[in-house]
Amino acid sequence: MTGELTAALSAEYAAIFAYGPIGVHLTGAEQSAARAAEAAHRTLRDALVLALTGSGLPPAAAAYRLPEPVVDRAAALRVAISVEEKTAAVWRAALSATVDTQRRQALEALTGCAVRATRWRRFAKIDPITVAFPGKAPA
Amino acid sequence: MLAFGAALTVGAAGGCGLLDRTPDEPPPPDPLLPLADDAVRLAALHRSAAAELPERAAALTAIAEAHDAHAKELSRIMATPAPSPAASGSVAASTPTAEERIESLRVAEKAAYEAAVQACLRTPNHRAALVGSIAAARATHLEALK
């Protein structure tokens, strides 16, 4: 179980890092959504740090590789979608390794990532804005 | 009724508990069967709405296709035939507005999402990723129906 949650913590660190440059290139409702998303990932990170204390926490890196340079609004939206999809995949994997309260937390995290990815696709005017199996790699 | 009566007779004669299953009794339904039935029903509801709301047809059809995919995957892991396509629902007394139609879909999706969450929390580990992904998908449908 610890391995999946450790992977989730690393993904949350990376998501928090990514929303810094993403937010810089957005305005209005999109910037508000970026702030809310970053806050959600910080909450998930904090919960994981508590859950994993004593199990060998992975440290946050100074920087994370983004899927592409965030140079404008369009790139910011693409990276935001990618961040949420990748983080959803990690939480989906955690479902099979958890029970009870930790499974509920993993499911809430997966659902949050999936809903945020949907909102980012709407902002980016990607059609359709939903996917059949959030967190699952495309076939 | 007949099956239960037969089980009662055999169980009593053999000295077994009243609720013991006989060899001929079918196994209990898979706990995920209601989830698959929901998926089939929701697919039909969204297809019906897509036919009546052309301005939202693309999004509603995408959601219907997601429910189709959920039903297919659930059927595969349950090793049972896919549930039959559902009727698209009863005929309303009056034609609902587009807003009412979307709101009724949201109500149906929300109930199905909550059922999927409970199923995910109860299901064995090897099924949890699929069932959780279906729950998350239903949550995104609520977002898409805004």
Side-chain angles (χ1 to χ4, degrees):
Chain A
M1 180 195 303
T2 304
E4 285 78 5
L5 295 184
T6 301
L9 179 55
S10 294
E12 292 300 341
Y13 282 142
I16 292 164
F17 174 84
Y19 272 107
I22 288 169
V24 168
H25 292 281
L26 301 177
T27 58
E30 293 174 352
Q31 190 175 68
S32 298
R35 287 195 185 124
E38 182 178 348
H41 286 293
R42 287 186 185 279
T43 299
L44 291 168
R45 175 206 58 188
D46 292 346
L48 282 166
V49 167
L50 275 177
L52 290 168
T53 295
S55 306
L57 288 172
Y64 290 85
R65 184 188 300 273
L66 298 174
E68 64 174 294
V70 185
V71 295
D72 56 17
R73 172 182 175 270
L77 294 176
R78 284 194 299 271
V79 171
I81 293 166
S82 174
V83 163
E84 297 299 348
E85 288 178 342
K86 288 178 178 173
T87 313
V90 174
W91 282 113
R92 185 182 192 271
L95 288 172
S96 301
T98 50
V99 294
D100 302 331
T101 302
Q102 285 192 328
R103 183 178 291 178
R104 181 182 289 279
Q105 290 170 341
L107 179 57
E108 288 174 355
L110 166 61
T111 302
C113 293
V115 170
R116 284 189 292 276
T118 303
R119 289 177 185 148
W120 289 126
R121 290 188 205 100
R122 173 180 279 139
F123 281 130
K125 300 194 183 309
I126 291 173
D127 186 30
I129 64 172
T130 55
V131 298
F133 295 101
K136 183 180 180 184
Chain B
M1 191 65 186
L2 182 61
F4 180 73
L8 188 64
T9 304
V10 171
C16 302
L18 291 177
L19 298 179
D20 286 353
R21 285 177 42 222
T22 68
D24 295 335
E25 198 173 357
D30 192 292
L32 296 183
L33 191 58
L35 213 59
D37 288 340
D38 280 348
V40 171
R41 182 176 54 82
L42 287 165
L45 284 174
H46 282 85
R47 282 214 168 76
S48 174
E52 295 175 20
L53 304 172
E55 71 281 7
R56 300 194 71 158
L60 294 171
T61 301
I63 294 174
E65 289 171 351
H67 286 303
D68 287 340
H70 297 169
K72 185 177 175 185
E73 272 303 288
L74 288 166
S75 179
R76 185 182 63 77
I77 67 167
M78 292 188 299
T80 60
S84 303
S88 57
S90 59
V91 177
S94 60
T95 304
T97 64
E99 290 76 15
E100 289 168 340
R101 195 73 199 254
I102 295 297
E103 180 57 26
S104 72
L105 291 176
R106 284 182 54 80
V107 169
E109 285 282 359
K110 188 167 191 302
Y113 159 72
E114 289 166 355
V117 167
Q118 292 307 312
C120 180
L121 297 177
R122 288 193 297 261
T123 204
N125 283 12
H126 68 284
R127 290 177 161 190
L130 172 63
V131 178
S133 199
I134 290 172
R138 291 175 177 178
T140 68
H141 298 165
L142 284 167
E143 179 69 23
L145 290 169
K146 281 183 177 173

